Amino acid sequence: MTGRQEPLLGLLGAAAAFGICETVSRAGLVRRSYLPPASDVLVRAVRLAGDRDFLDGIGVTLRAWALGLGLACALAVPLGLLLGTVPVVEAATRAVLEFLRPLPSVALIPLVSLLLGSGTRTEVTLIAYASLWPVLFNTVYGLGETDPLARDTLRAFGFGRLAVLVRVELPGTAPFIAAGVRISAAVALIVAVATELLSGFGQGLGIFIAQAQNATDGTRDVLAGVVWAGALGLAINGALVAAERRLFAWAQDPRPEGARRAGRTASSPRPRPQPGRGRP
């Protein structure tokens, strides 16, 4: 599949989903109070782009998302490097990390609200907690995939642990960290909207959806808010994927170097024998 075919197939899939939702609603298979026509939802979502209060709420959600994701990365990358390079620390903290990782962040809303109060601090804390784990474990996994030959070569030439980390291990782990950040970005957006939705007061995209639930015939606004959440997630993921491809183009081919060389050798034309240079 070529790079041009993927966006086309994505558009076809979105158009098919739009057509199905529109047909189901227009045909009366589902009551419009439960599922408005997709065209009405899309028109409402477009009109929200001109609503200043709604855009301010989007800004609040994105600010909390960015702060929480940044805090998670600032904590997860150093901690992952520590766990990946010091086996004793990794073994001592493994049980604690495996205990904390499955805990859903939304279940911690009452506790965090009690400790920090309601508002941005609680939201940022929950976002950071939820988005910490993909970056952390991707960092540890990336360190385990570092080329041992390059690492041992530097050590043989007298380089210390810090130099090996900076020159070999960190560059080799960077694509894994970037993949973890991309996963955490989606998790952070989900938690940001969910936290606002469950809190029920303040500003943000989740607040808009929560208030629309209580409005008369508010299903259209709820779905329009969901469209905005999906569009934000799609835009964020697309930007991060483009950044990954630009920064780590050398890591896009999953085949080892020997296989890449063999592929180039097999695909290159064989030289023709020159006149007078063949066998007698």
Side-chain angles (χ1 to χ4, degrees):
M1 183 182 298
T2 63
R4 294 181 178 180
Q5 289 177 337
E6 291 183 6
L8 179 60
L9 291 175
L11 290 175
L12 290 176
F18 181 89
I20 292 173
C21 294
E22 183 78 10
T23 302
V24 168
S25 180
R26 296 287 183 185
L29 300 178
V30 179
R31 293 175 57 182
R32 291 196 178 188
S33 58
Y34 296 148
L35 181 64
S39 57
D40 292 350
V41 174
L42 186 60
V43 168
R44 176 56 176 161
V46 172
R47 288 179 177 174
L48 285 174
D51 189 335
R52 182 64 179 272
D53 293 336
F54 177 78
L55 294 181
D56 289 341
I58 292 290
V60 171
T61 300
L62 290 179
R63 182 166 61 250
W65 167 83
L67 290 173
L69 182 61
L71 180 60
C73 294
L75 295 174
V77 173
L79 182 58
L81 294 176
L82 177 64
L83 296 177
T85 54
V86 185
V88 175
V89 177
E90 192 273 337
T93 58
R94 182 183 304 165
V96 176
L97 295 178
E98 292 298 336
F99 172 78
L100 293 175
R101 180 171 61 163
L103 295 179
S105 58
V106 291
L108 301 176
I109 290 179
L111 176 61
V112 178
S113 299
L114 182 63
L115 296 176
L116 301 179
S118 60
T120 303
R121 289 185 298 178
T122 296
E123 187 175 359
V124 170
T125 301
L126 293 171
I127 292 171
Y129 174 82
S131 54
L132 172 78
W133 308 109
V135 181
L136 174 63
F137 286 101
N138 266 37
T139 303
V140 175
Y141 178 79
L143 284 173
E145 294 296 313
T146 305
D147 185 6
L149 180 59
R151 184 172 57 241
D152 294 341
T153 300
L154 283 185
R155 289 175 179 171
F157 279 95
F159 287 90
R161 174 172 292 185
L162 181 59
V164 173
L165 176 65
V166 173
R167 292 173 179 265
V168 174
E169 293 178 335
L170 192 55
T173 310
F176 295 89
I177 296 175
V181 171
R182 180 159 48 87
I183 298 172
S184 293
V187 174
L189 184 61
I190 294 172
V191 175
V193 176
T195 303
E196 295 167 351
L197 184 63
L198 294 176
S199 65
F201 57 89
Q203 278 187 300
L205 180 57
I207 301 300
F208 173 83
I209 296 174
Q211 293 175 349
Q213 286 180 327
N214 300 323
T216 304
D217 193 23
T219 307
R220 185 188 60 175
D221 283 354
V222 170
L223 294 177
V226 172
V227 169
W228 268 89
L232 289 175
L234 184 63
I236 291 170
N237 183 75
L240 292 176
V241 168
E244 278 187 58
R245 291 177 177 175
R246 185 177 183 85
L247 295 174
F248 308 113
W250 50 271
Q252 298 301 316
D253 192 346
R255 296 178 300 169
E257 181 66 23
R260 291 197 294 268
R261 291 178 181 176
R264 288 195 296 266
T265 303
S267 61
S268 59
R270 295 182 178 180
R272 292 184 177 182
Q274 299 297 323
R277 295 185 180 180
R279 290 183 297 176

